[in-house]
Structures are given as C-alpha cells and as structure tokens.
Amino acid sequence: MLRNNHGLLAALLIFVPLCSCDTTVCDIPNKNERFDCHPDAPATSTNCQSRGCCWQSGTPSKEQSESDARRVIDVPYCFYPKDYPTYNVTAWKETDYGYTASLARSTPSSWPNDVKALTLDIWFETAQRLHFKIYDPNTKRYEVPIRTPPVPHQKARNPEYIVKYRASPFGITVTRRTNGAILFDTMIDSAPLIFADQFIQISSQLSTHLLYGIGGRKSTLLHNASSWQQFAMWARDQAPQFNTNLYGSHPFYINIERDGLSHGVFLLNSNAMDVDIQPMPAVTFRTIGGILDFYVFTGPSTTSVVQQYTEVIGRPQMPPYWALGFHLCRYNYGSVQKLKLVIERNRKLKIPYEVQWNDIDYMDKHLDWTYDKVAYAGLPNVVKDIHNYGQKYVIIVDPGISTDYPGKYKPYDEGLKSGIFVRNATGQPLIGRVWPGSTVFPDFTHPGAAEWWYQQMKDFHDVLPFDGLWTDMNEPSNFVDGSTVGCTQNRLDRPPYVPGIAENVLQAKTICPSAQQYLSSHYNLHNMYGLTEVQATQSGLHKLLGKRSLVVSRSSFPSLGHFGSHWSGDISSTWEDLYYSIPAILEYQFYGIPMVGADICGFQHDTTEELCVRWMQLGAFYPFMRNHNDDTSKDQDPAAFSASARQIMKTALELRYWLLPYFYTRFHYSHLTGAPVVQPLFSHYPHDKNTYPIDKQFMWGSELLISPVLDQGQTEVRAYFPADLWYDIYSGVRLTGVGSLVTIKAPLEKINVHVRGGSILPLQSPNVTTTQSRKNPFEILVAFNASGLAFGSLFWDDGESLDTFESGKYDFIEFNARKGSVISKVVKMGYHPASGLYLNNVYIFGVSQAPKSATVNGKMAIVHYNPQTQVLQINGFSVDLLNMISIKWQ
C-alpha cells in the first residue's frame, strides 16, 4: 500500500471471512515482508477489510497529497495475510522444452473478472536464458507484438539455472545452479499471484538490494531496495522529475548477487504498470493487461546480462559514423538568417561540428513535412551549403497530423484515404490537439502506415534533403486529455486500477486508452507508440537513402535500440540535471539503446558559461552528443561564449573526434554482441562493492574512465579508482588505483579521463567534420598493464552503408603489445578506402626505461621519450594498417 493519509495512530488488526480465522496469518512482524493489498490509495480499515486483508495503521513519515502517495510508497497499512486465496497447481508436466502446468483458483480475489484457470509454460531456451509465460488458455489475450526468438522444441543443455515449484499455493523459484542464488522466487506466502482481466500482480524475492534498471525516470543509477520505491510505467510527455513516469517504459532489471555475480529479469508487457520494490528485498510487478511473459538471464556479469537481454529484444543498430560527431540545435532560431549566423560563427571557430538540426519552428504552421517559406525562405540552399561543407542535417517530425486543411494538406488527405489514423471508440479518427492545432495520430501498427509515412518523407526530402529524423512528442503527446471530446466511461478509459502515474488517469496528456489501433486498443499499445513510429521511420529512411541514418526518439520501449536512438528529454540548465544525465545514459545502455544523450547545457532556462563548459566536456563522452535548448533561453552554441570558453569547448570536441575510431569500434561490438558502449564501473569491477552506487563517473568500454566536474565552482574531483593501473590520457602520468577515492585536479579547461592499463586505442587526428577526419592518418595509444601487456582492435568501414558487417564490407584489425613491441594483425579486410588506412604515430604509456631506438616494419623511426611520465612516442613513419605491422623498441 502507498502511504496512508489518515494519520491513524493506534495499531488495529482486522480480519475478515476471506482470511483464515487463525490470527497468525496477519502476524508478519517484519514489516518489510508485508505486501500491499491496497495499492490504489487512500486505504482505510473498512475497504482493507472488504478485500480480506490485514490492517495495521501507523504514522506516515511525512504529510503528502493523495497523488504523491500514489508514487511514494512505504510499509503498507493494508497487507495480504499469509493465506490469501490464490492459485494452486492442478497439473504439472515435464516436457521436451521444459515444463507446462495448469493453475486454478476457486475463491475470487478482490479484483473483478478473475481468470480462474491459467497455464504456465516454461522454456529452457538457452543455458543462460529461461523463459516462462502465465496466460489464460481459454481466452486469447493481448501479447506484445515485438519480434523475439522462437521458443525451442528441446531444452537447452547444461542450464545455469534450476527451476522448482510449489503446488499449493502456487509458487515458482529459479536459482543459480552454481551457488543457489535467487534469480526469481515467488514462493512468498504473503504475496499471492493475482490474475484478473485488468489487474495482474506477481511478486518475487530479490537476491540482494542492489537493483538497476526499471526505467525510465529521473533517478540515481542504483535503486537501493533497502527502501520502498515505486516505478510507474506509462509513456508521458513530462519534463524529467523524480517519482514520475516519463517518456519510456522498460520493465527490465539487473540484480547484483552477494558474490558480485549478476542476473536480469524482463517482463515483456506493454500495459500500464507499477513495479514496486521493498526492503525484504522483493519486487512486485503490477500490470493492468496482457499476460505475464518473463525472461530470466543468468549473466553472470552485468555485460553478459545485457547481451542476453538484447538477444531477445534485438541487438543495437550500428549508427552511421557521422552520428557520433557534434550536433547543434535549438528550438526557434526564429529565421533562416539566424540559423545561418549560428552555422557560420561556429564554423569560424574551426571546431568539430557535424550536424545541424531544426526544431518545429522551421515548419509552416507547425505542419509536418513543410517548411516556413517566409521565416525560413531559402532553407533548401542552407541545407545545400551544409552538405557542401561535409555536414549533415536533421529535422524534427511530430506524429500529430493537422486536420485543419482538408484537401490542401497531403499528409492528412492521403492518410485519411488510407485509413491509417488511430480511431476513437466509435470508429472515427480520434481528434486531439498538438502544435498545429486539431490533429489526428497515425497508427503505425496499420499495414499501410509505413508506406504512407515513407511517401511523405520522400516527397519532402525532394524539397529539403535531410539526413536523419527526430521523432518527438511520440508518447503520443496530446494537449487535451484523451481527445477534443473527451473519452468514454468504458473499462479501458476507466479501469478498476490505475498504476501510480502522474495525474492518476491514463488519458492525461495523451489519447484515449479506448482508441483503436490496427493491432489492438491504445490501452494495450500506448507504451509502444514511439517504438512503432521509429520502426516506420527507420524503414522509410533506409528505403529513401539506401544507407544508415539517424532516428532519435523521445519515447522508448524494449527493442527501440534495434531501430533507433534516444535522448533524455526536456531537462533543465542546472547542475543537478548535469549530474542526472549520467545515470540516465548508463541506464539506457542496459536497455539495449547505446546511442543515447542528453541536451548539452540543458534545454530549459538559461545556462551559464561555467555550466555549459562543464556540460560540453561531459557531453563529449555522451554516445549521442547534441547541444540543444528551448525558444526562450539565451544562445548556448559554442560560439556564443567568451574566447576562453570557446577554446575549452573546442578542446573537448577535438578530444572526442580523436577518440572516434575507438568509440566506433565499441559500437561495432555493441551491434555484434549487445554489450553496452558506456558502462558503470561495477560492470568491470563487480567484486568491488564500492563501485555499486557510483554514477558520477563512468567508462567507455573497459578502456576509459571519465570523471567529470558536476558541481559549480569546483576545480578538483573526488574520483574513485578501482584497483588497477590507470593513465592520464593527456600526459600519460600513471596512477595506481587501490580501490579508493582520490582527489585529482580539474581546472575549468580539463575533464579527467584515464586509460586503463592493458588497453590499446585506435585514434585519428580530428578535423572539422568526420568526412575530413576520416581522411587523416591513424594513431594508436598503448597503455601497459602491470604485466606489461595491452590489447585493442579497430573496426572500420565506409561509415554509412547498410549491414557492412553482415556483408563483409569492413576491416578488422587487432593490436597486441608487450614490453618492447606492438604487433597488428589484419583479421578481416573487406573495405579499401580511397585515402587508404595509414598509421603514422604511436603513444606508449608505461615504458619504464628510455629506448635507444625504434623500428616500424624493420625501418628506423623517430623516438621521443619523457622519463618523468614514462611515455614513449614513436613517429616519423607511415605504414598501411591493412598489412601486418611490427613496431619494436629496445
């Protein structure tokens, strides 16, 4: 139960006929083991008794409104007794693929329309992945329509998990075979399984309180299950704030076990839901539709959990190389003259500057697939100039299609003719209000919607040749609740239970749940709306451009990363939001969406020069790097600041572009294996408990540790260095980590970046665009570990063609180093760039003695050695990376 508002001081236990008359069934002295019987606050002793549950009141820790109480939870006053009626196993059978069972209940729950008979199917899909479904065998219910691996006909061999069950009351437990750790365990007497038509609830014990995921909302990275918390999921147009459902829905978590191993759990369900955690520790999934469709992943590392998860939902897409550059945007440049001014003044700085964006102000009357021929007269010529400079251009599109110009607005006319708009309960196109006024909403699950969307895209691209699309407002957002005529009073618009979402009604700021889409009701599909738009958009761009592109979506759902990318929404220009951008980016790595970023310098309100400098430094290590702000804030593009600030920002951008070959290679590994690109420290140091809560530092792959300044006026950072060998990326100075906090200098012009010993990074001299930088020679940075070894690799292709790995049109080079030598090996050679791939510079960190000479492929090279930093630099050569290279020094 969520905190009760009545402030009753006396403790009172009430029992009802549905419960056993044995008073011990309510005797649960450990309050952390009480499970909420009345999640729909406010609860009273009377309505608690009517549900057959136990009541024990107390004093709330603080006063709060009812709407707050729906989202901030504590020890429930109304909780389930130990013998609350639930399901029993009536048949259990081992099968070739796992198990199947029949479940039944004879006594109704307190929720309407119980499903009395259920089927449980369990598949041993792989040795590391268990899949089970609980569903109604007699009535077909909605299931999430995303592509997942087909269920097997045979059990996986040597599974890393053990499955057991309890017949009465029903319970299932999944444990790790090697150590017995809990992976999923519903055998909790006071947490019954409930499966009613619009209220489904299941609880499981957690292995420990160390929980990550369950997004997305504004939060720290670690969700410490030693406190009561609720995560509500229902996509909403909402600037990020605490304890509130935001743009995406991700019912997936990672749980670190006592010995540092990790496992993951995924509920494939797109309906509105709560996920509650409590200090038992335990988790409760509470959804209002669909079925229970769970996957359990054994890991045992956090990286392997994410790899196993993305094997189910789809591996991340490979972004085009240019998408890793610096992007610039603002809402309301106001005119084409101001747009050109911003472009020119940033070009004059000679900063790496890759992509120019336009927000909705470029449109004519906010109509998709138009541009304002007055304020933005000549915009096609600006785009031509952008392309001539080697830059790219991205525009925003919103799903709301105007109804105000029938017969004169092709997207509406053709969509209406094709019948691809979302319909209201009476079968007519649902009318809402968004930026252009009265609008309808495309149903991207309709078979004709993708082709209609592509045709609008193509027609406009002929006028304004964009390179990528930004799909905003796709929760979908609506400026009226439900529709212009409201919603019905039916069971979809007024369900018996509403999760703890903002405003406590499903249609708030979106369309009616009763709206009909091709595949199902919006009640079932709402959380997937943004995903289905991204799928249609990516498909259309591939067809239109014939190469990789960029689709950036605000709303998200599992598998989005297979089709597009994400940014964290309308954050503010505050030091607080600077910090919270880090856990947001790390969390989305867990969800298989590695291409993610935050609005650098903040979207809302005026930034300051110091804040924007620090944010540009941090943003240089976002996967998706875009500076963007709103229409009322002052300019915050790099050229808008002082000469000193501009130079610091330029330095940060040049560092990013220098690292891009390495970063691109990390994206290749992500695309291939599902491994996150950006990772928390505990991913690489799982046995170091100090790393578990760290979310003010992060890593690129396993090679780079980033320790930004996140507070105003600070010129030092208290950074944690796990027990390992680390090198300052700028100087090569060595720091031996012992698993402790270290104070390091961080003047305004510096963001601290350290290379982990054992790493080899492929690098490339930066230029103003990736088109130019990709023509430059390569460098490598070698950082020896304590054993005097290092390893790295380079993935390289043309940066934009589709499926280059799958078609073999790429190069892959491995680098190995030991004291005295670096050797490269060409593993794959399937791409031959016109400018060649040449190496002409090597930095080697951790060389304890000055070498007398160095050779590259047997020829003498130039040696530079710094005895204070123990950095060796070898240059004065140029060799082809597509041949084996041998670098030696002595």
Side-chain angles (χ1 to χ4, degrees):
M1 186 196 69
L2 303 115
R3 291 177 181 165
N4 184 272
N5 298 330
H6 299 283
L8 300 176
L9 299 178
L12 177 65
L13 256 60
I14 295 177
F15 306 99
V16 297
L18 283 176
C19 300
S20 167
C21 293
D22 180 357
T23 59
T24 61
V25 298
C26 285
D27 182 17
I28 306 177
N30 184 347
K31 295 181 180 179
N32 294 333
E33 296 179 4
R34 297 177 181 178
F35 287 79
D36 193 355
C37 181
H38 206 297
D40 43 334
T44 66
S45 60
T46 301
N47 53 29
C48 180
Q49 176 181 3
S50 71
R51 294 185 179 188
C53 291
C54 309
W55 175 266
Q56 187 173 30
S57 66
T59 303
S61 60
K62 66 177 182 178
E63 292 185 4
Q64 56 193 189
S65 68
E66 179 179 334
S67 61
D68 284 338
R70 296 300 311 281
R71 300 190 293 275
V72 182
I73 65 172
D74 208 328
V75 178
Y77 299 167
C78 182
F79 54 95
Y80 290 104
K82 297 176 185 177
D83 66 347
Y84 191 88
T86 184
Y87 293 87
N88 296 319
V89 177
T90 58
W92 182 276
K93 178 184 177 182
E94 186 170 5
T95 65
D96 291 341
Y97 56 78
Y99 299 103
T100 188
S102 298
L103 314 179
R105 69 179 305 142
S106 57
T107 305
S109 73
S110 58
W111 296 95
N113 302 314
D114 282 296
V115 179
K116 298 293 182 65
L118 295 171
T119 292
L120 165 67
D121 285 330
I122 304 175
W123 294 274
F124 290 36
E125 291 197 340
T126 72
Q128 296 81 30
R129 182 176 81 232
L130 180 77
H131 180 196
F132 68 91
K133 283 186 182 184
I134 301 175
Y135 60 95
D136 183 347
N138 300 312
T139 303
K140 178 66 176 175
R141 294 176 62 85
Y142 165 78
E143 297 185 34
V144 177
I146 67 170
R147 182 178 297 178
T148 56
V151 294
H153 299 296
Q154 297 290 328
K155 291 181 185 177
R157 295 182 179 181
N158 304 315
E160 296 178 1
Y161 43 83
I162 296 173
V163 178
K164 296 181 179 179
Y165 80 100
R166 182 178 64 187
S168 182
F170 163 71
I172 182 174
T173 179
V174 184
T175 55
R176 188 180 295 281
R177 184 176 295 277
T178 56
N179 61 9
I182 294 171
L183 306 181
F184 199 82
D185 184 3
T186 71
M187 293 187 191
I188 309 170
D189 291 341
S190 55
L193 168 65
I194 296 175
F195 200 120
D197 183 37
Q198 292 182 273
F199 186 93
I200 304 172
Q201 179 174 288
I202 191 169
S203 301
S204 170
Q205 293 190 65
L206 294 168
S207 184
T208 69
H209 66 280
L210 300 166
L211 199 66
Y212 304 86
I214 319 177
R217 70 173 188 176
K218 183 176 179 178
S219 172
T220 57
L221 183 63
L222 171 63
H223 306 313
N224 193 327
S226 61
S227 64
W228 298 77
Q229 298 176 59
Q230 182 176 87
F231 302 80
M233 298 184 194
W234 183 249
R236 174 179 170 85
D237 177 357
Q238 171 71 59
Q241 58 183 258
F242 300 109
N243 304 319
T244 299
N245 51 303
L246 300 178
Y247 313 109
S249 175
H250 295 275
F252 165 74
Y253 68 75
I254 296 173
N255 193 194
I256 296 181
E257 301 159 22
R258 295 184 186 280
D259 57 2
L261 303 184
S262 294
H263 66 268
V265 173
F266 171 44
L267 172 57
L268 180 53
N269 182 293
S270 63
N271 289 88
M273 76 171 72
D274 295 323
V275 181
D276 293 354
I277 60 175
Q278 62 191 78
M280 184 178 180
V283 60
T284 296
F285 292 91
R286 186 183 303 116
T287 182
I288 62 173
I291 65 169
L292 294 175
D293 189 355
F294 279 101
Y295 292 84
V296 179
F297 310 102
T298 64
S301 68
T302 54
T303 296
S304 57
V305 169
V306 176
Q307 290 174 314
Q308 292 153 20
Y309 176 49
T310 57
E311 191 174 25
V312 170
I313 63 169
R315 298 295 197 208
Q317 66 169 356
M318 186 68 183
Y321 196 89
W322 61 261
L324 303 183
F326 173 53
H327 303 240
L328 186 59
C329 184
R330 78 161 297 153
Y331 174 25
N332 197 14
Y333 284 110
S335 69
V336 75
Q337 289 78 19
K338 179 60 180 289
L339 174 63
K340 290 163 67 175
L341 172 67
V342 170
I343 292 171
E344 287 302 321
R345 72 188 186 192
N346 283 279
R347 285 179 181 173
K348 286 180 180 179
L349 294 181
K350 299 296 183 182
I351 64 169
Y353 168 28
E354 198 72 26
V355 190
Q356 180 61 51
W357 292 49
N358 269 128
D359 207 322
I360 59 173
D361 51 292
Y362 82 90
M363 299 177 183
D364 181 18
K365 304 181 185 69
H366 295 148
L367 301 174
D368 275 354
W369 313 117
T370 68
Y371 78 93
D372 186 337
K373 293 181 175 59
V374 177
Y376 283 87
L379 183 57
N381 289 328
V382 175
V383 176
K384 183 178 180 180
D385 174 69
I386 286 171
H387 288 152
N388 288 340
Y389 193 76
Q391 295 171 302
K392 304 295 182 181
Y393 181 62
V394 174
I395 58 171
I396 193 171
V397 287
D398 292 340
I401 299 297
S402 175
T403 67
D404 291 340
Y405 308 94
K408 299 179 180 179
Y409 182 46
K410 187 177 178 182
Y412 173 71
D413 296 337
E414 293 188 349
L416 190 65
K417 182 179 179 181
S418 300
I420 53 84
F421 295 127
V422 174
R423 295 171 288 115
N424 62 22
T426 66
Q428 301 301 310
L430 182 144
I431 308 296
R433 292 193 68 83
V434 200
W435 294 112
S438 294
T439 56
V440 286
F441 300 86
D443 173 10
F444 290 103
T445 72
H446 190 286
E451 180 59 28
W452 165 82
W453 193 237
Y454 162 74
Q455 196 58 54
Q456 312 316 310
M457 192 184 300
K458 180 182 182 300
D459 290 349
F460 192 56
H461 188 269
D462 291 342
V463 176
L464 199 68
F466 50 84
D467 301 287
L469 290 170
W470 171 18
T471 57
D472 193 15
M473 304 288 285
N474 57 347
E475 291 73 34
S477 177
N478 190 358
F479 293 169
V480 296
D481 291 350
S483 77
T484 54
V485 294
C487 300
T488 72
Q489 297 296 314
N490 70 18
R491 66 185 188 88
L492 299 182
D493 292 326
R494 298 289 186 270
Y497 177 75
V498 176
I501 61 176
E503 299 188 56
N504 298 326
V505 289
L506 297 178
Q507 61 264 38
K509 299 182 74 171
T510 190
I511 63 178
C512 298
S514 61
Q516 294 301 304
Q517 298 185 232
Y518 180 82
L519 289 183
S520 188
S521 65
H522 193 71
Y523 179 91
N524 291 325
L525 293 166
H526 171 82
N527 281 332
M528 294 185 65
Y529 189 89
L531 169 63
T532 59
E533 183 189 24
V534 168
Q535 289 172 325
T537 303
Q538 186 227 44
S539 172
L541 283 170
H542 285 181
K543 183 177 178 180
L544 176 66
L545 303 176
K547 54 188 176 182
R548 278 175 271 164
S549 185
L550 179 68
V551 182
V552 180
S553 173
R554 191 168 71 178
S555 186
S556 63
F557 188 77
S559 80
L560 180 91
H562 187 63
F563 304 97
S565 51
H566 172 68
W567 98 105
S568 64
D570 297 343
I571 59 174
S572 295
S573 297
T574 63
W575 292 91
E576 176 185 273
D577 277 2
L578 171 68
Y579 153 56
Y580 279 104
S581 72
I582 298 175
I585 285 166
L586 290 171
E587 186 174 286
Y588 273 84
Q589 303 296 309
F590 298 154
Y591 304 148
I593 310 174
M595 188 65 173
V596 62
D599 284 344
I600 292 170
C601 304
F603 176 71
Q604 300 186 85
H605 315 302
D606 286 339
T607 190
T608 65
E609 182 163 288
E610 181 191 6
L611 175 60
C612 200
V613 163
R614 291 302 193 188
W615 214 321
M616 284 288 288
Q617 291 173 333
L618 172 60
F621 292 90
Y622 290 166
F624 168 51
M625 185 187 186
R626 184 184 68 166
N627 179 317
H628 177 51
N629 63 330
D630 68 14
D631 59 331
T632 60
S633 302
K634 65 183 182 182
D635 289 350
Q636 62 185 38
D637 57 282
F641 294 99
S642 69
S644 60
R646 295 197 299 264
Q647 183 56 49
I648 296 170
M649 293 178 184
K650 180 179 181 181
T651 299
L653 287 166
E654 288 176 339
L655 175 61
R656 178 185 178 89
Y657 275 58
W658 186 53
L659 290 164
L660 281 186
Y662 158 72
F663 203 25
Y664 191 62
T665 301
R666 297 314 313 172
F667 268 98
H668 162 69
Y669 281 117
S670 182
H671 174 64
L672 184 63
T673 71
V677 171
V678 178
Q679 303 196 20
L681 276 66
F682 67 76
S683 288
H684 300 288
Y685 301 94
H687 301 293
D688 183 348
K689 296 181 179 180
N690 294 323
T691 64
Y692 295 164
I694 292 176
D695 58 9
K696 293 186 176 182
Q697 298 170 263
F698 57 95
M699 297 185 71
W700 270 16
S702 62
E703 292 84 6
L704 294 180
L705 174 63
I706 295 94
S707 307
V709 169
L710 301 173
D711 296 295
Q712 184 176 3
Q714 297 300 303
T715 56
E716 293 180 334
V717 172
R718 290 279 287 167
Y720 187 82
F721 286 88
D724 217 325
L725 203 57
W726 303 94
Y727 299 88
D728 181 282
I729 198 170
Y730 307 101
S731 67
V733 170
R734 182 167 54 192
L735 187 155
T736 301
V738 295
S740 63
L741 286 167
V742 177
T743 300
I744 51 179
K745 293 182 179 180
L748 185 61
E749 63 271 14
K750 181 179 182 181
I751 179 172
N752 276 281
V753 182
H754 287 80
V755 185
R756 185 181 63 84
S759 306
I760 298 180
L761 309 180
L763 311 165
Q764 199 168 38
S765 298
N767 210 314
V768 292
T769 67
T770 59
T771 300
Q772 295 302 316
S773 67
R774 283 174 57 90
K775 299 174 183 177
N776 289 339
F778 284 84
E779 305 172 340
I780 57 172
L781 189 159
V782 179
F784 283 123
N785 62 17
S787 300
L789 303 174
F791 172 80
S793 57
L794 170 67
F795 173 87
W796 202 248
D797 60 9
D798 67 5
E800 62 179 10
S801 292
L802 295 168
D803 303 323
T804 56
F805 175 77
E806 292 78 3
S807 62
K809 297 177 180 178
Y810 67 95
D811 300 324
F812 191 79
I813 301 162
E814 290 181 347
F815 303 97
N816 282 279
R818 60 181 62 247
K819 289 188 176 180
S821 69
V822 181
I823 304 295
S824 76
K825 177 184 177 183
V826 181
V827 177
K828 170 70 177 179
M829 184 168 58
Y831 170 60
H832 301 272
S835 57
L837 266 68
Y838 292 96
L839 177 72
N840 72 353
N841 196 17
V842 180
Y843 302 93
I844 306 164
F845 293 173
V847 178
S848 57
Q849 293 182 331
K852 296 179 180 179
S853 62
T855 61
V856 178
N857 290 347
K859 296 182 179 180
M860 298 299 294
I862 299 172
V863 172
H864 308 271
Y865 181 72
N866 186 324
Q868 283 73 42
T869 60
Q870 297 189 346
V871 172
L872 170 65
Q873 182 180 5
I874 301 173
N875 56 24
F877 65 91
S878 179
V879 290
D880 189 351
L881 277 167
L882 295 181
N883 293 314
M884 179 179 173
I885 299 171
S886 175
I887 302 170
K888 296 182 179 181
W889 62 94
Q890 60 182 8

